[in-house]
Amino acid sequence: MEIPSKYDPKPVEEKIYQKWLNEKKFAARANPSKRPFCIVIPPPNVTGILHMGHALNNTIQDVLIRFRRMQGYESLWMPGTDHAGIATQNVVEKELAKERLKKEDIGREKFLERLWDWTDKHGSTIIEQLKKLGASCDWDRTRFTMDKEYSEAVKEVFIKLYEKELIYRGNYIINWCPRCETALSDEESPHKEIDGWLYYIRYPVEQGGGKIPSKFRINYIIVATTRPETMLGDTAVAINPRDTRYQYLKNAKVILPIVERELKVVEDEAVDPEFGTGVVKVTPAHDPADFQMGKKHNLEFINIMNPDSTLNQNVPEDFIGMDRFEARQAILEVLQEKKLIEKREPYRISAGHCYRCHTIIEPRVSPQWFVRMRPLAQGAIKVVEEDKVTFLPQRWKKVYLNWVHNIQDWCISRQIWWGHRLPVYYCKDCREGVEEESKKGVIVAKEKPPTCPACGSSTITQDNDVLDTWFSSWLWPFATFHWPQSEHGEEKAKADLDYFYPTNVLVTASEILFFWVARMIMAGMEFMNQIPFDKVLIHGTVRDAKGIKMSKSLGNIIDPLDIIEKFGADALRFSLMLLAASGSDVYLSDEKFLVGRNFCNKIWNATRLCLLKIKENKIKVSDLELKELEDIDKWCLQQLDETINQATKSLQDLSINDATKKAYDFFWHTFCDWYLEIIKDNFTAAKTKVLLHSLVTSMKLLHPVMPFITQEVFTLIKEHSSLKLEDSLVSASWPKPSNIAPKESEAAKLNLLVETIRQIRNIKTDLGLGAKKLHLEIKAGPKAEEFLRANATWIMRLSASQSLDIKPKLARTLYKNALWEINLGIEDIDAESFVTSLEKKISKIQTIFEKASVRLTDQRFLDNASPDTVENEKAKFEEISLQLKRLQELRKAFMDQK
RNA sequence: GGGCGGUUAGCUCAGUUGGUUAGAGCGCAUGCCUCACAUGCAUGAGGUCACAGGUUCGAAUCCUGUAUCGCCCACCA
C-alpha cells in the first residue's frame, strides 16, 4: 500500500469520527467499578456558530476528557445547547422583519412556533461543528435548556425559591434595553465609557416664604447633568446636608424649566459637594441613584418614556414621541433660547449597554421579578473560601469572591417571548384594586390552576414574562442529569446523577464567571447541597494578531472551520493547545496554525518511514516486549519515560499547554531527529520494537490533543504489523513509563557522543564544507573505541561522514573531549575560520569560567549558600575549567600543527 | 475611583519554591532535494529579562515606587 508523503486530514477525520460515533466510543455509563470523570459543556447558544473561542474552550475540555478516559476513568462529557432567549428571539424577529412583520402581528403562539421551527432547523449547527472539531461528547445525552424535562427543573427551582421567599416581585428601577424592549440583569448591562458632555443648566429659583439673606438673592441655581432630556422627569433637586452654600434653598421654590414644575429640595449624603455645582437634579424614574433618593425622600416618580425610549404623554406636548436622544437636542435648543445653559464641558460618561444589541441602557422603573441573592451567596462564598472549589489561575478566586460579597439581587424577568414562561398566575378577581407588589391573587405553580384557590374564580392568567436565560443555565450541572425527576425515583437517571455529580472541572472563559459560574455554584449549593464541580479552569480570550477581540462585526475573525478545512482539526487543536498558555489571552493569525499542520505532516512521515523500514526489512514483531536493547535504545526509552511522566503530571494539573509541548518535543526532536536516523542503519527486531513502542506511545500521549491523526497512525501500525494493539486509541490505556534506562556511565558516553556529533556539524558549517561527506578520524582509548565501533554506522550518518577510522594518532585535532579526539580527513582547511570560531567558543567559556571562579572564591557565598548549591557550583566549575583547558590546548596544538 | 494582569530575542510566548551558559516556535542568515518529511535537515546570529530603588553572598524570579498596555468592577449627577 502506498502512503502519500503529504498528510491529508480531511478524509481521515471524517472517516474516523464516523467510526467513533458508530461504535459509541464516547458513551459513558454509571459504572461503580470505575472512577467517574465528568465535564459539562458550557452549552453554546442555539444561534451559535463555531468561533475560535469555542474551538479553544472545547478543545481544552476534549483533551481533559480523552486523557481521563484513557487513564481508565468513566469519562463523561455532557453536551447540550442553550436556548439563548434574547439572542434567538432577535434572530427570528429579523427573519420576520424581512416579511415586513413584527412578532405582535402574528401573536405569541405563532411566533413561538417560528422560534421552535428555527431551533429545530438551526439549533444543532454548532453541535455538528463541534463534531468536526473532534469533540468526544456523549451525544446521546445532548440536552437543550428548553427540553420538557429541563423546563420542569426550571419551574421547580422557581417555585422552591418563591416558597422560601427568595424570589419576589417588585417595582424597581432596572436596566432596560429600549431596542430589545426588555429588562436586563446588571451583568447583562456592562458599563462602557462614551464621550459626552456635562451640561450646566440653570433652574430658576423663586423666593419662598422664608427669609433669604440678600447675598443669596439670585434667581437661579445651576445643576450639572449629562442627560438633559431626563429633566422632564425631575421631581426634586438635592444638596448635601453639610453644604453651607445652599442652605437657603430649603426655603426657596425651585422651578423646573420648560415643564414649569415646582421641585422639592432635598438633602442627601449621596450628593458630592465637590462635583459639578453641588446641586443635583433628581429624576427618580430614570436614574438608579435618583431612584434611591426618590424612595428615601418620598419623591414623585414620573416615567417620561415609552418602552422604546421615545418620550410619552408625561412630557410637554412638543416633545411627545421624540426619541430620547432627539429629545436631548430639542431640549438643549429650548434651554439655549431661554438662556438657561450656563456652559458645557466634555465628559466621559459611563453607561450600561445591552450585551445583546449594544444599545445604551435606559434605567426604567417597572414591575419585575427578582432573586434575593444574599442568602444564596453564603454557601457559594464558603466553598470557595475553603477551596472546595478552586480556580485556575488562582487569581480568579479573588475576583469571584469580590463579586459574590457585593452581590445584588438578580432581575430574572424578561419581556420577551422565547424562554421559560414564569410559572406565575394571577387571579383577576383577587388582584382587583390590589397594590402591584402584593402577593394577593398571585399563584405560583407548575401548571395553571383551573380555579383560584382563594376565591374560586376561573379568570386566571399567566404572567407574560419569561425567565432570564441564565436562570436555566445555572442549573446545568444537575438539570442535565434529569434533576429533579432523577430525585423523584427514576432509577437510571438517579444513578447517573449520583455517579457523575459533582462534576470535576468546569472549563470557561472569564467573561461568564459571574453570569454562569458563580450562579452554578449557588444553585449547586442550594438545590443539591453540594458543589457542582471542584475546579474551574479559566482560559484566555481569543484575539487577533493585533490583540483585538475577535468579533464578526469587526471582521477580524478567523473561522475555525476554515482552518479545519485547510489544515485539519488536529492542526487547529494542536496549534491552539500549544499557543494557549494557561489563562493568558491567545493572539491568533492564519499562519499560527502552520505549526499544527507541519507537526501533523511530521507525524505522518515518521510513520511512513517506520512502516517502510519494517516492510523493507521484512521484520515481523508480534509483541512490544522490550529486550536485547542497546544503550542507544535505552537512551530513547529513557527520554520517552521522562516525557510520559511530565505530560501526565501536566495534564493532571490542567497544564495542557505544557503537556503538549513535552510530547511534541520528544516526538520531533528526540524520536525523529535522533532515534529515527539512528535506526536507519541499525534495523533489528529489537529496535523495531523500540521504534514501534515509541511511536505508539507518542500517539497515545498526543491523542487527547490530536485525536484523528494519532488514531489513523495507530490503525496503520495495526494493519501493517502483527501486533495485538488495543481496539481504538479512544479507549486505549494511558502510557506508563517502561523504567528502562542506560547505566549512568553509558548515558554519559551517549550524551558525549551526541555533543560530539553536534560539534562535528558545527565545525563543518564553520569551515563552509557544505554537503561534502568527510572521513571521520577518531582517537580514543580502548573502552571508548569499542563503544564507538558499536555505534559507528549511525555516527557516520548523523555527522554526514563517509567513513570512520579509529586511529592511535591524529594528524590534527579539531575537537576534543574527555573520551576522544576528532579530526576530519580533509587536506586543506580554512585555518583562519577554524581558529576564529574556536576563539569565539573560548571567549564564551572564559566568561563563564571567570564568573564561576569569582563565586567560588567569595567566602560569603560559601558561607551562605546551601551545601548543595556550593557542590553544584564546584562541579560546574570543574567541568568548565576542563572545557576551557581543552579548547585552549586545541588551539595551541592546532597552531603548532599548521 | 477601586481591583487584577502583562511588560523576557524582530514577532508570539515558556521560565515551577531566588543558585543556568535566560529557552522554544515563527521570522532572519548560511549551507543542504542526506533513499520519511523542503509542511523538511543542519548550523548560526539575535536578549543590561520596561525603568528606578531596595532585600540578598546571589534577582528575570522577592519587596517598594514609576512608566506603559490591557481587562474587570463601581449609582461622580
Side-chain angles (χ1 to χ4, degrees):
Chain A
M1 188 187 95
E2 279 300 305
I3 304 174
S5 72
K6 280 189 173 54
Y7 174 60
D8 181 10
K10 217 177 164 189
V12 171
E13 294 183 353
E14 279 166 13
K15 174 190 74 185
I16 288 178
Y17 200 84
Q18 201 47 53
K19 190 160 187 285
W20 285 335
L21 285 187
N22 295 342
E23 295 173 0
K24 297 210 177 290
K25 280 286 173 196
F26 309 144
R29 298 281 168 270
N31 177 353
S33 66
K34 283 178 161 189
R35 278 194 292 173
F37 183 81
C38 179
I39 296 178
V40 290
I41 203 169
N45 292 347
V46 280
T47 52
I49 48 163
L50 194 79
H51 56 64
M52 255 328 151
H54 291 124
L56 174 64
N57 177 255
N58 289 294
T59 300
I60 292 171
Q61 295 176 71
D62 198 35
V63 171
L64 297 176
I65 282 287
R66 284 177 184 271
F67 164 60
R68 292 300 186 176
R69 195 182 282 128
M70 290 174 79
Q71 269 199 329
Y73 287 76
E74 189 68 23
S75 195
L76 169 62
W77 190 5
M78 171 68 81
T81 49
D82 193 300
H83 68 279
I86 300 172
T88 313
Q89 172 156 331
N90 282 352
V91 169
V92 176
E93 273 186 284
K94 263 184 207 158
E95 269 193 5
L96 272 185
K98 281 183 203 153
E99 300 163 34
R100 293 168 191 275
L101 287 171
K102 285 187 172 168
K103 65 178 193 293
E104 288 77 11
D105 298 335
I106 61 172
R108 187 163 187 150
E109 211 170 303
K110 279 261 178 285
F111 184 61
L112 283 176
E113 262 174 42
R114 301 249 337 203
L115 271 153
W116 276 109
D117 284 349
W118 191 93
T119 304
D120 290 343
K121 214 164 149 193
H122 305 286
S124 55
T125 303
I126 188 132
I127 296 281
E128 292 313 308
Q129 292 170 330
L130 284 172
K131 291 178 180 173
K132 284 213 157 70
L133 188 67
S136 66
C137 297
D138 187 354
W139 297 114
D140 292 341
R141 292 177 183 265
T142 306
R143 298 277 180 281
F144 177 48
T145 52
M146 288 230 305
D147 281 347
K148 195 163 172 292
E149 274 187 339
Y150 204 106
S151 303
E152 287 300 306
V154 171
K155 281 190 218 166
E156 172 112 354
V157 159
F158 187 96
I159 294 165
K160 275 192 169 167
L161 292 177
Y162 183 78
E163 283 168 356
K164 281 180 87 173
E165 299 200 353
L166 291 177
I167 282 184
Y168 63 93
R169 187 167 188 254
N171 200 28
Y172 290 103
I173 194 154
I174 43 84
N175 302 291
W176 181 266
C177 174
R179 204 218 59 86
C180 302
E181 295 197 11
T182 179
L184 297 170
S185 66
D186 294 342
E187 291 69 40
E188 289 169 319
S189 322
H191 282 72
K192 274 185 215 137
E193 292 209 326
I194 45 176
D195 283 317
W197 298 93
L198 185 59
Y199 300 93
Y200 289 76
I201 301 172
R202 295 172 183 157
Y203 281 18
V205 176
E206 287 173 15
Q207 288 185 11
K211 282 182 188 160
I212 293 173
S214 58
K215 62 174 175 170
F216 294 126
R217 210 166 293 158
I218 51 167
N219 54 7
Y220 57 83
I221 51 142
I222 302 167
V223 299
T225 180
T226 56
R227 301 198 53 199
E229 69 278 16
T230 64
M231 68 182 284
L232 302 179
D234 283 4
T235 54
V237 293
I239 55 170
N240 188 295
R242 285 163 303 151
D243 194 337
T244 52
R245 293 173 297 176
Y246 297 112
Q247 292 302 315
Y248 73 94
L249 279 179
K250 284 191 271 184
N251 300 317
K253 253 170 97 175
V254 179
I255 304 296
L256 180 63
I258 302 176
V259 183
E260 306 295 332
R261 177 161 59 226
E262 186 182 340
L263 299 175
K264 273 196 179 177
V265 177
V266 298
E267 291 179 297
D268 199 297
E269 290 289 346
V271 180
D272 176 6
E274 306 296 317
F275 189 90
T277 56
V279 186
V280 58
K281 64 191 259 322
V282 183
T283 323
H286 291 277
D287 181 277
D290 294 3
F291 178 82
Q292 297 300 336
M293 244 188 267
K295 286 264 171 189
K296 195 164 154 192
H297 301 284
N298 211 14
L299 300 175
E300 197 187 346
F301 290 70
I302 303 177
N303 179 5
I304 59 164
M305 287 185 201
N306 298 308
D308 64 356
S309 85
T310 54
L311 300 195
N312 64 17
Q313 306 294 322
N314 295 333
V315 300
E317 206 173 338
D318 294 351
F319 302 102
I320 293 174
M322 279 186 185
D323 174 75
R324 55 187 166 160
F325 299 117
E326 197 186 332
R328 179 180 298 176
Q329 290 316 314
I331 283 166
L332 286 169
E333 271 167 39
V334 175
L335 290 172
Q336 191 70 46
E337 257 168 50
K338 299 189 180 223
K339 301 213 181 325
L340 289 173
I341 298 180
E342 175 87 9
K343 59 173 177 179
R344 63 169 199 182
E345 293 167 351
Y347 196 75
R348 299 278 291 169
I349 309 158
S350 177
H353 289 68
C354 173
Y355 85 137
R356 281 295 165 217
C357 70
H358 308 111
T359 302
I360 296 179
I361 292 301
E362 185 59 46
R364 183 178 174 87
V365 179
S366 57
Q368 302 288 346
W369 290 83
F370 298 86
V371 178
R372 224 180 283 284
M373 296 304 269
R374 278 202 180 274
L376 292 177
Q378 295 319 309
I381 289 171
K382 194 158 174 272
V383 291
V384 169
E385 273 178 349
E386 290 173 357
D387 289 327
K388 300 253 171 33
V389 178
T390 56
F391 290 87
L392 219 109
Q394 281 180 336
R395 66 182 126 97
W396 292 106
K397 176 178 176 177
K398 235 168 123 180
V399 178
Y400 168 93
L401 285 174
N402 182 51
W403 185 78
V404 192
H405 276 298
N406 297 301
I407 200 156
Q408 302 292 316
D409 284 357
W410 175 15
C411 174
I412 51 169
S413 44
R414 299 288 174 274
Q415 288 64 51
I416 57 172
W417 290 349
W418 179 238
H420 301 278
R421 197 158 168 186
L422 271 71
V424 175
Y425 301 86
Y426 302 101
C427 167
K428 206 181 160 203
D429 296 342
C430 291
R431 293 298 290 172
E432 205 52 50
V434 166
E435 250 186 62
E436 203 146 38
E437 299 186 6
S438 160
K439 283 185 167 184
K440 192 167 181 241
V442 177
I443 307 150
V444 172
K446 282 196 175 174
E447 305 299 334
K448 182 176 177 179
T451 54
C452 171
C455 73
S457 159
S458 56
T459 45
I460 290 172
T461 52
Q462 186 171 6
D463 196 302
N464 278 322
D465 291 352
V466 302
L467 289 159
D468 180 4
T469 298
W470 300 98
F471 192 87
S472 54
S473 316
W474 73 329
L475 313 177
W476 190 247
F478 49 89
T480 47
F481 290 106
H482 303 283
W483 182 92
Q485 291 85 344
S486 43
E487 297 265 283
H488 303 159
E490 267 194 37
E491 293 276 325
K492 195 163 161 283
K494 187 173 185 320
D496 272 359
L497 183 66
D498 288 348
Y499 186 71
F500 290 112
Y501 190 95
T503 68
N504 297 78
V505 188
L506 186 88
V507 182
T508 182
S510 60
E511 283 98 311
I512 51 175
L513 184 61
F514 306 143
F515 272 119
W516 194 48
V517 180
R519 287 175 184 154
M520 275 193 291
I521 297 176
M522 292 181 204
M525 295 309 292
E526 176 68 19
F527 303 110
M528 301 296 294
N529 203 20
Q530 234 179 0
I531 51 170
F533 31 73
D534 48 33
K535 286 190 185 120
V536 181
L537 177 60
I538 299 186
H539 59 250
T541 305
V542 175
R543 300 172 182 281
D544 71 6
K546 288 181 207 134
I548 298 165
K549 202 164 157 176
M550 280 192 189
S551 78
K552 228 175 170 182
S553 53
L554 287 174
N556 62 346
I557 56 163
I558 298 176
D559 186 346
L561 295 166
D562 281 352
I563 302 293
I564 291 174
E565 185 69 24
K566 275 202 294 203
F567 303 146
D570 287 329
L572 170 75
R573 295 167 58 120
F574 176 81
S575 306
L576 283 175
M577 291 305 95
L578 201 64
L579 288 168
S582 61
S584 57
D585 288 354
V586 192
Y587 290 48
L588 291 178
S589 56
D590 277 359
E591 58 268 26
K592 293 227 166 147
F593 295 99
L594 292 175
V595 192
R597 182 198 62 165
N598 295 354
F599 188 45
C600 285
N601 205 51
K602 190 74 182 175
I603 293 173
W604 189 246
N605 278 288
T607 307
R608 278 180 70 213
L609 175 66
C610 294
L611 298 178
L612 195 85
K613 293 299 284 185
I614 290 170
K615 197 177 160 198
E616 254 179 33
N617 292 275
K618 298 194 172 100
I619 291 179
K620 283 238 182 278
V621 289
S622 54
D623 64 76
L624 287 180
E625 202 187 330
L626 302 168
K627 56 182 184 187
E628 292 165 34
L629 301 177
E630 292 178 37
D631 289 325
I632 193 67
D633 305 324
K634 294 180 185 168
W635 176 83
C636 178
L637 291 170
Q638 183 186 26
Q639 301 208 36
L640 179 57
D641 275 5
E642 217 169 282
T643 308
I644 294 169
N645 289 333
Q646 288 171 338
T648 307
K649 183 171 187 306
S650 294
L651 285 173
Q652 270 156 0
D653 296 345
L654 309 182
S655 309
I656 297 170
N657 158 269
D658 209 41
T660 308
K661 252 185 206 156
K662 290 280 170 5
Y664 167 83
D665 259 352
F666 169 80
F667 189 81
W668 198 311
H669 297 303
T670 301
F671 183 66
C672 290
D673 288 353
W674 288 89
Y675 197 72
L676 281 187
E677 293 301 323
I678 287 162
I679 59 101
K680 279 180 181 172
D681 296 312
N682 290 275
F683 203 68
T684 62
K687 283 204 165 40
T688 306
K689 289 187 182 181
V690 177
L691 183 74
L692 287 175
H693 170 80
S694 305
L695 184 59
V696 167
T697 306
S698 298
M699 290 309 101
K700 287 185 172 182
L701 289 176
L702 288 165
H703 181 259
V705 179
M706 322 172 78
F708 295 109
I709 190 170
T710 51
Q711 176 68 62
E712 180 68 2
V713 166
F714 192 73
T715 308
L716 280 174
I717 294 170
K718 274 177 79 162
E719 284 170 3
H720 290 252
S721 71
S722 31
L723 288 175
K724 287 179 196 65
L725 293 171
E726 286 136 316
D727 160 49
S728 157
L729 271 189
V730 175
S731 46
S733 64
W734 187 251
K736 288 192 174 63
S738 61
N739 292 315
I740 293 172
K743 274 186 278 178
E744 226 169 280
S745 58
E746 299 305 314
K749 240 188 268 180
L750 283 165
N751 288 334
L752 215 48
L753 185 51
V754 167
E755 175 57 21
T756 304
I757 288 168
R758 289 212 168 100
Q759 286 302 327
I760 294 170
R761 290 164 172 173
N762 176 307
I763 291 166
K764 284 182 70 176
T765 306
D766 279 346
L767 296 178
L769 295 173
K772 212 182 232 173
K773 294 239 176 184
L774 300 179
H775 298 278
L776 203 53
E777 297 170 359
I778 311 183
K779 182 185 147 190
K783 264 201 161 166
E785 178 173 346
E786 194 188 326
F787 171 76
L788 292 169
R789 283 200 194 287
N791 297 296
T793 46
W794 66 264
I795 296 174
M796 277 159 40
R797 173 179 289 276
L798 284 162
S799 62
S801 312
Q802 53 172 304
S803 68
L804 187 157
D805 286 316
I806 302 196
K807 296 183 162 183
K809 193 169 182 301
L810 298 181
R812 176 179 57 199
T813 301
L814 296 178
Y815 168 75
K816 181 179 178 179
N817 64 29
L819 294 178
W820 49 69
E821 295 179 22
I822 303 285
N823 185 30
L824 300 175
I826 36 167
E827 292 305 313
D828 328 308
I829 195 163
D830 183 348
E832 209 172 311
S833 298
F834 182 71
V835 172
T836 308
S837 81
L838 198 54
E839 267 164 5
K840 224 164 73 190
K841 283 173 200 159
I842 290 175
S843 102
K844 218 171 165 182
I845 296 282
Q846 183 90 39
T847 318
I848 301 161
F849 173 81
E850 277 158 19
K851 263 196 205 163
S853 51
V854 165
R855 203 169 302 159
L856 281 172
T857 50
D858 186 345
Q859 195 55 44
R860 291 175 307 175
F861 170 72
L862 297 173
D863 292 344
N864 289 304
S866 75
D868 274 2
T869 309
V870 175
E871 273 315 300
N872 285 340
E873 204 60 35
K874 277 184 179 162
K876 196 170 80 194
F877 178 75
E878 293 299 316
E879 172 60 27
I880 288 290
S881 322
L882 261 171
Q883 271 186 43
L884 183 61
K885 203 175 134 216
R886 266 187 228 118
L887 285 169
Q888 282 165 341
E889 278 173 14
L890 192 58
R891 180 177 55 178
K892 186 169 179 301
F894 185 82
M895 299 296 259
D896 293 348
Q897 289 153 8
K898 121 182 158 182

